[in-house]
Structure formats: C-alpha cells, structure tokens
Amino acid sequence: MDFSTLNEALAFKSYDKVADICDSLMFQAASEGVSFQEDWPYAIHLIGHIYVNDINSARFLWKKIPLAVKESQQEVSTAWKIGQRLWIKDYASVHEAIREFIWSPQCQGIMSAFSEMYTKRMFELLQSAYSTISIQDTALFLGMNEDDATNYAVQHGWAVDPTSRMLTVTKQAVVTEQKLDHSILQQLTEYVFHLEH
C-alpha cells in the first residue's frame, strides 16, 4: 500500500487533510480487494478525524478497527480514548489523555498540533461563555497548571483578581469588513427605479 500522500501531508503539516487522505486510501484498498488491516495507520487515521473535530467519523472508524489491532496497538486505543472524551464532552480530561501517552514520531507532530489547537478552541469557548471564571476552572479546561493558565489568560487580555482567584474575561471585539461593490449597488438602483416607474 502506498502511503506517500499521507506521509507528505504529515511532513508538510497539512494535518487537516490527513483524515480525507486516509479515508480515500482505505476506500481504494477496499475497492481493489487489497488486505490492509495489518498495515493500516489506524492511530493516524483516528487522530486525523479528531484533528478536524469529526468525532462521529472517528467513532465509526473505531468500530471498524479489528479487535486484534485494538488490543495490540496501544497508540490506537489511546487515540480513541481522546475521541471518547470528546464524544462525551469531557473536555477537561482531553489534555490528560494526550499527555498520558508517549506518541510515536509519526503521531507526535499531529498530536502536538491538535493539543495546541484544542487549547485555543477551549480558550475561545471560555471567552464566549463566561464573563468571570475561576483560575482553577480555567486551568482545568486549558489542561494547564493554575500559574500557566493565569499567564495564558493574562497574555490574551484577561484580568486577574488574586484575592478572589478569579479571571475577568475580556471579550474580543468582532471585526467585520463590509465591502461595497458599486456594480451591485448600481443594479439595485436600476431595479428599484424600474419598480417605481
């Protein structure tokens, strides 16, 4: 089986393409009748779906993985543990699942990128959901210790009250660009003029 496109995507850090590449390769192998279960990069495939936040596809892939692979490849089981935590919306323990395993060199890059992206996603979620939040809860959601979580929040414009150990969330202003296309305005003017006369 030729995994050159997958290896290329991993080398160029095109992690958002990994799941689609794996799906295509799996479909191709299955349609050609090629036995692929033994050599398939299931951990990368699962992580690829998790990376693009397609937990449903990761769940269905998990169901297709042979039991022997699930039992013999610890990295596959650990990747699915992250998927499970996301599936049940246990967001705080995702970082714990990522850190509890020493990932292979092939998975290390995508897992590191996912961890960083997931931290940003959780921070944005906290930012949109709270006006104040405890340092302890922030640390739990960001997968950091309290000092690192406080520093991360302060770097992003949040205020800290050391007495109450609370963080005050600073909402980011939403900037929208409105482009005015004169041709559309001209068409609208002509249309309204036509309706009036």
Side-chain angles (χ1 to χ4, degrees):
M1 181 117 231
D2 181 21
F3 292 113
S4 59
T5 54
L6 175 61
N7 293 332
E8 188 176 298
L10 291 169
F12 287 110
K13 299 183 180 189
S14 300
Y15 301 130
D16 56 332
K17 298 177 183 176
V18 167
D20 288 337
I21 291 170
C22 288
D23 287 342
S24 296
L25 289 172
M26 185 179 268
F27 180 72
Q28 178 186 353
S31 67
E32 294 171 358
V34 176
S35 177
F36 61 88
Q37 282 84 2
E38 299 287 322
D39 305 334
W40 194 257
Y42 286 110
I44 288 287
H45 198 164
L46 276 170
I47 296 166
H49 284 299
I50 291 168
Y51 184 86
V52 294
N53 203 25
D54 188 2
I55 308 308
N56 210 28
S57 293
R59 189 171 69 101
F60 287 119
L61 174 62
W62 175 255
K63 290 180 177 189
K64 289 192 278 188
I65 298 174
L67 184 60
V69 173
K70 291 177 184 177
E71 292 174 349
S72 66
Q73 296 181 21
Q74 181 68 35
E75 195 164 50
V76 173
S77 300
T78 306
W80 177 237
K81 190 182 290 186
I82 295 167
Q84 285 177 309
R85 303 240 167 103
L86 290 167
W87 182 259
I88 62 172
K89 297 181 177 18
D90 184 6
Y91 301 121
S93 64
V94 170
H95 288 287
E96 181 183 311
I98 293 169
R99 284 192 301 261
E100 73 182 15
F101 189 75
I102 299 171
W103 299 94
S104 68
Q106 188 180 24
C107 292
Q108 202 166 17
I110 191 171
M111 191 49 70
S112 176
F114 170 73
S115 179
E116 187 177 310
M117 182 179 65
Y118 183 73
T119 298
K120 288 179 184 173
R121 191 183 312 155
M122 286 296 100
F123 186 77
E124 289 168 2
L125 180 68
L126 294 176
Q127 194 166 28
S128 66
Y130 291 92
S131 57
T132 57
I133 184 171
S134 72
I135 292 173
Q136 181 181 7
D137 287 344
T138 305
L140 187 68
F141 276 100
L142 298 181
M144 302 175 181
N145 64 44
E146 291 185 8
D147 291 336
D148 290 344
T150 303
N151 290 335
Y152 188 86
V154 168
Q155 286 173 357
H156 288 84
W158 292 17
V160 63
D161 180 6
T163 5
S164 65
R165 302 202 33 81
M166 297 293 284
L167 292 165
T168 303
V169 177
T170 304
K171 304 285 183 189
Q172 297 295 323
V174 178
V175 178
T176 57
E177 287 187 31
Q178 189 172 12
K179 296 180 181 178
L180 183 60
D181 186 2
H182 295 289
S183 64
I184 294 173
L185 187 58
Q186 181 64 35
Q187 288 174 347
L188 182 60
T189 304
E190 289 172 5
Y191 181 73
V192 171
F193 180 78
H194 177 72
L195 288 175
E196 290 179 351
H197 295 36

